[in-house]
């Protein structure tokens, strides 16, 4: 079996075989045979100079020839081989190309991170309230402070103003507001401490580099 890239008639579909001396001789004889239609004679002349030829065309020329002068098919194709052509590569769709580009870019980014992971400073400090647990804890803490402030204010005004309901409620509201102010002050202090720690850590890492 052979695999060539020359063009027999040239991209004819169907079975392709390699040209040999017996086929070439038959084609040349057929191209000069006036009893064969002119179109077949021209085809025979063109095929005689090729390295591989379509079986369908050879068969048409053979059938068009007189039985008395055409060679036996077995002798005609003796020594000839089938020729297989490689199929054209399938074209990739635009969506597939875009997806492949994204995967390639992601792989490059991952590879870059892997290369520089020992060079870039690692951020050890975490942002305040960055997790659900921190947020839930902060919310419960605020509620507890507000409730405690309201309770303390309510009881204090109740004792001071002879169990007056209106003044007790006003004291409770005042205690609640004070609790909110205390919680706000504590939040500001925690945020400042976190910023100072982050700055100190970054400075230390820069000095170590």
């Amino acid at each position: 079996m052979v695999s060539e890239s020359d063009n027999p008639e040239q991209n004819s579909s169907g079975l392709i075989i390699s040209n040999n001396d017996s086929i070439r001789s038959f084609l040349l004889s057929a191209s000069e045979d006036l009893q064969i239609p002119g179109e077949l004679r021209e085809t025979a002349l063109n095929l005689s100079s090729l390295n591989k030829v379509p079986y369908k065309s050879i068969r048409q020329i053979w059938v068009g020839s007189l039985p008395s002068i055409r060679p036996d098919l077995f002798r005609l194709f003796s020594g000839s081989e089938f020729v297989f052509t490689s199929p054209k590569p399938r074209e990739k769709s635009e969506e597939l190309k875009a997806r492949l580009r994204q995967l390639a870019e992601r792989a490059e980014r991952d590879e870059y991170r892997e290369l520089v992971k020992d060079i870039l400073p690692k951020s050890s400090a975490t942002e305040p309230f960055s997790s659900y647990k921190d947020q839930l804890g902060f919310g419960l803490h605020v509620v507890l402070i507000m409730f405690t402030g309201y309770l303390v204010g309510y009881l204090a005004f109740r004792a001071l103003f002879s169990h007056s309901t209106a003044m007790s409620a006003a004291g409770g509201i005042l205690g609640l507001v004070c609790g909110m102010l205390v919680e706000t002050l504590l939040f500001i202090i925690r945020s400042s401490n976190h910023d100072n720690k982050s700055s100190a850590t970054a400075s230390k890492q820069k000095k170590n580099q």
Side-chain angles (χ1 to χ4, degrees), residues 29-81:
S29 299
S31 67
E32 299 173 356
D33 189 351
L34 299 179
Q35 297 183 5
I36 298 177
E39 184 180 349
L40 288 179
R41 290 203 308 271
E42 184 179 355
T43 301
L45 182 61
N46 292 333
L47 294 179
S48 63
S49 61
L50 299 178
N51 292 329
K52 56 184 183 178
V53 291
Y55 170 80
K56 183 178 180 181
S57 299
I58 300 296
R59 177 74 179 179
Q60 289 174 346
I61 297 170
W62 186 85
V63 170
S65 303
L66 292 175
S68 59
I69 62 173
R70 66 190 180 194
D72 178 74
L73 281 178
F74 179 79
R75 186 166 57 85
L76 180 64
F77 295 115
S78 178
S80 183
E81 297 177 334

Side-chain angles (χ1 to χ4, degrees), residues 17 22 35 55 87 148 166 176:
I17 59 176
S22 58
Q35 297 183 5
Y55 170 80
T148 303
L176 186 147

Side-chain angles (χ1 to χ4, degrees), residues 35-199:
Q35 297 183 5
I36 298 177
E39 184 180 349
L40 288 179
R41 290 203 308 271
E42 184 179 355
T43 301
L45 182 61
N46 292 333
L47 294 179
S48 63
S49 61
L50 299 178
N51 292 329
K52 56 184 183 178
V53 291
Y55 170 80
K56 183 178 180 181
S57 299
I58 300 296
R59 177 74 179 179
Q60 289 174 346
I61 297 170
W62 186 85
V63 170
S65 303
L66 292 175
S68 59
I69 62 173
R70 66 190 180 194
D72 178 74
L73 281 178
F74 179 79
R75 186 166 57 85
L76 180 64
F77 295 115
S78 178
S80 183
E81 297 177 334
F82 295 117
V83 177
F84 299 100
T85 56
S86 301
K88 293 182 179 179
R90 294 176 59 185
E91 293 186 1
K92 299 175 183 176
S93 64
E94 294 301 324
E95 294 181 1
L96 179 59
K97 290 179 181 178
R99 179 62 177 164
L100 291 175
R101 281 196 297 269
Q102 292 177 357
L103 292 175
E105 291 173 359
R106 184 184 303 175
E108 289 178 0
R109 288 196 297 269
D110 293 342
E111 186 177 356
Y112 175 76
R113 288 197 203 97
E114 187 68 21
L115 289 173
V116 302
K117 67 179 182 180
D118 297 331
I119 302 174
L120 295 179
K122 297 179 181 179
S123 54
S124 57
T126 57
E127 293 292 330
F129 313 118
S130 57
S131 66
Y132 176 77
K133 184 178 179 181
D134 292 342
Q135 296 173 7
L136 182 62
F138 177 72
L140 292 175
H141 189 263
V142 170
V143 171
L144 180 62
I145 289 293
M146 292 172 63
F147 177 76
T148 303
Y150 179 86
L151 187 62
V152 170
Y154 181 87
L155 294 177
F157 273 57
R158 182 180 175 84
L160 290 174
F161 296 100
S162 304
H163 302 280
S164 172
T165 303
M167 295 304 295
S168 297
I173 293 173
L174 179 62
L176 186 147
V177 173
C178 291
M180 289 180 63
L181 292 175
V182 170
E183 184 60 35
T184 302
L185 181 62
L186 292 175
F187 177 77
I188 293 173
I189 293 173
R190 282 198 296 267
S191 298
S192 299
N193 290 338
H194 178 269
D195 292 341
N196 292 336
K197 284 182 180 179
S198 298
S199 301

